[in-house]
Amino acid sequence: IQTGFIGRPHFVIQMSVSAVGRRVLASPWRHSKEEGGLALDIGIHQAYILEMLMGPIDTIHAVSRQVWSRRLWHRPDGSVEEIDVESEDLFAATLTFESGAMGSWVMHFGSPGAGRWERVIFGELGTAEGPPDRSGRPVRVQRGREVLEGDKLVEALPDFHLNEIESSLFGERPGGYSFESTVTDRKLIAAEVWDFIEALRCRREPEVNGKLGLRSVAIISALTRSALSGRPISVK
């Protein structure tokens, strides 16, 4: 996107469907409105990525519903309890970006069947498909009949490289990576801590500063307020 390889983006699809059925997703507190609900706990990461890729979101027009009012909590000791939950677990939104681009954003946190992940950016010259977060799978780019992914895509982008700490953890120009999930998380947390320490040491802004973090919260607030009011909500 930064180099113009797929041209000016005009549309993005972001879809995540969790095939957990009625099971509690990770832990019960994520289903509490008092704690922010599933949209804030999980959706906020997608919100940040959407703006990182496409620029600032202008408006959000959303609908939501609660698919499951009761879920099954599988406790660490092996017991199972049916509990009441509060949070909506299905969201669908139309996005407009300040650039004029548009987007479709779907989050389903309780599919009883297949799960699904999709992040596709449509540009004037081609499309870029992103893999599930933290999966290490390669990005896939298609321009006409030409398809590039992994090492071939890296070769086509000579200016692409990671920063100092990320290069030591993942390689300077990786087309993908393959680690156990716990190893991946440790590496990503190491990169975050390094950036924070370097920001203090060098008296610079961290990669994600407070303003960006607050803006990501505002996007989720706009999403939920739009679903409640039935009208588009400005992120500003």
Side-chain angles (χ1 to χ4, degrees):
I1 296 172
Q2 290 174 338
T3 63
F5 195 68
I6 64 168
R8 183 171 178 267
H10 56 261
F11 190 69
V12 60
I13 294 175
Q14 170 66 65
M15 176 186 292
S16 59
V17 179
S18 301
V20 295
R22 287 184 60 217
R23 290 175 65 108
V24 164
L25 195 62
S27 54
W29 66 263
R30 288 176 166 84
H31 299 269
S32 166
K33 285 191 174 180
E34 188 177 78
E35 300 289 347
L38 292 166
L40 182 64
D41 179 61
I42 299 174
I44 193 168
H45 303 293
Q46 297 180 16
Y48 169 74
I49 293 291
L50 281 166
E51 288 210 322
M52 184 192 74
L53 295 170
M54 299 289 291
I57 296 171
D58 185 21
T59 62
I60 300 178
H61 197 178
V63 292
S64 68
R65 62 166 290 189
Q66 187 182 63
V67 177
W68 306 111
S69 60
R70 293 178 65 80
R71 286 187 180 242
L72 300 176
W73 169 225
H74 291 249
R75 295 179 174 276
D77 63 7
S79 62
V80 180
E81 178 186 358
E82 189 176 50
I83 63 172
D84 294 324
V85 296
E86 302 169 337
S87 171
E88 291 86 357
D89 45 21
L90 175 58
F91 301 84
T94 298
L95 310 175
T96 60
F97 294 84
E98 291 182 7
S99 67
M102 297 177 62
S104 177
W105 186 13
V106 176
M107 295 183 288
H108 190 333
F109 299 108
S111 169
R116 185 177 180 86
W117 172 270
E118 192 171 7
R119 179 183 287 146
V120 186
I121 299 163
F122 298 83
E124 293 174 338
L125 301 178
T127 60
E129 298 180 50
D133 297 326
R134 294 158 41 217
S135 69
R137 299 176 191 170
V139 173
R140 183 177 187 271
V141 168
Q142 183 166 350
R143 300 192 303 177
R145 294 185 178 181
E146 180 187 34
V147 177
L148 298 170
E149 61 182 316
D151 292 337
K152 288 186 177 180
L153 179 58
V154 171
E155 290 174 6
L157 299 169
D159 293 332
F160 165 69
H161 64 277
L162 299 183
N163 66 27
E164 178 186 350
I165 184 65
E166 292 164 357
S167 294
S168 69
L169 296 168
F170 296 94
E172 185 178 358
R173 285 168 49 81
Y177 59 84
S178 179
F179 306 113
E180 293 183 5
S181 59
T182 53
V183 175
T184 297
D185 283 352
R186 284 200 297 268
K187 287 175 178 284
L188 293 173
I189 292 170
E192 292 172 4
V193 173
W194 179 88
D195 178 71
F196 181 70
I197 292 173
E198 283 295 292
L200 293 173
R201 179 182 295 149
C202 303
R203 298 180 181 274
R204 64 163 173 79
E205 285 280 334
E207 183 178 3
V208 181
N209 59 27
K211 185 177 181 180
L212 280 174
L214 182 62
R215 183 172 177 85
S216 297
V217 175
I219 293 170
I220 300 301
S221 180
L223 175 81
T224 54
R225 289 178 187 221
S226 176
L228 183 65
S229 66
R231 62 185 179 88
I233 297 291
S234 166
V235 174
K236 288 183 179 179

